[in-house]
Amino acid sequence: MHDPGRGAPVAKVQFLNAYRYKRDTELMVATEGMYTGQFIYCGKKATLTIGNVLPLRGVPEGTIVCNVEAKVGDRGAFARGSGCFAVVISHDEDKGTTRLRLPSGGKKTVKSDVRAQIGVVAGGGRTDKPLLKAGRAYHKYAVKRNCWPKIRGVAKNPVEHPFGGGNHQHIGRPSTVSKAAPSGRKVGLIGARRTGRLRGVKKLGQDRD
């Protein structure tokens, strides 16, 4: 199923109600390889099959998971975008925690009781095709939020933006700004520790550990 404003497709799943003779229809993020009529199992007894949902303590290290909860029972917080996945790095049995590598490359420690879906979120490679024209970008962001088109600050008038005005399009002041600046002035590089080009080798989170 398509969900407007979301890159990934969603799956409509019917569960048997635990208390009454009826079925509960739930929407969940579809994983790659799901198909119509597939049986999906949720719970600690579920097998390690694509689309199934089970607690992280039952997932071996190195497994690719998605739609991972941040807190127990929040129905998924991490790795939910199209084509995203997280990797289970290690389990700490004593503390009851699990370490994950998120799609950003960062690492996160969560409780081992949180649930996750097995597999990669469907709809991967969506950004490989260029939008090509303004109309497609317009419709893409029209269903999301008002964030397109983005007008540069230097192209505005001085009443509209701190970087506006002047006879040439230039900022005319440092683009770094304090974290404590009032709203309206707080534009540009907010609370920047450093600016400029990144030179040298970038140390990733996985290299540091």
Side-chain angles (χ1 to χ4, degrees):
M1 250 174 82
H2 174 65
D3 183 13
R6 187 198 294 266
V10 291
K12 194 185 255 187
V13 184
Q14 283 194 333
F15 290 98
L16 289 172
N17 189 288
Y19 304 106
R20 289 190 178 79
Y21 178 68
K22 63 172 185 174
R23 292 190 175 177
D24 299 328
T25 305
E26 302 285 347
L27 290 177
M28 56 206 290
V29 174
T31 53
E32 217 166 281
M34 264 189 184
Y35 55 89
T36 308
Q38 180 183 354
F39 283 90
I40 286 169
Y41 299 93
C42 299
K44 55 181 80 168
K45 292 181 183 172
T47 55
L48 203 71
T49 314
I50 283 178
N52 283 0
V53 179
L54 55 156
L56 280 180
R57 68 169 70 252
V59 177
E61 293 169 7
T63 308
I64 285 173
V65 293
C66 64
N67 200 7
V68 189
E69 293 181 326
K71 299 184 180 73
V72 179
D74 74 359
R75 294 179 166 216
F78 306 126
R80 289 160 56 93
S82 53
C84 287
F85 62 90
V87 181
V88 177
I89 299 172
S90 60
H91 295 291
D92 192 335
E93 300 288 339
D94 305 330
K95 291 181 186 169
T97 57
T98 300
R99 209 155 160 69
L100 299 168
R101 185 182 303 124
L102 299 180
S104 61
K107 292 193 172 132
K108 184 99 183 158
T109 305
V110 292
K111 284 188 175 178
S112 296
D113 295 331
V114 304
R115 296 169 298 175
Q117 217 168 329
I118 308 299
V120 181
V121 181
R126 176 174 51 86
T127 54
D128 296 348
K129 181 186 175 187
L131 290 171
L132 285 178
K133 56 184 195 173
R136 289 200 185 132
Y138 168 81
H139 288 294
K140 176 186 172 179
Y141 291 108
V143 290
K144 285 178 179 283
R145 68 202 77 83
N146 182 21
C147 63
W148 186 90
K150 270 197 170 67
I151 303 167
R152 291 165 302 132
V154 289
K156 296 183 180 181
N157 295 317
V159 293
E160 292 154 354
H161 199 277
F163 296 164
N167 280 350
H168 299 283
Q169 282 194 3
H170 69 294
I171 293 175
R173 58 171 78 204
S175 57
T176 52
V177 63
S178 156
K179 272 186 184 172
S183 56
R185 172 70 189 93
K186 204 169 183 181
V187 293
L189 304 166
I190 299 165
R193 290 199 174 88
R194 67 179 300 288
T195 60
R197 207 155 60 90
L198 287 168
R199 304 189 65 173
V201 181
K202 187 183 178 189
K203 274 202 168 66
L204 289 168
Q206 59 208 56
D207 300 336
R208 278 201 289 272
D209 285 6

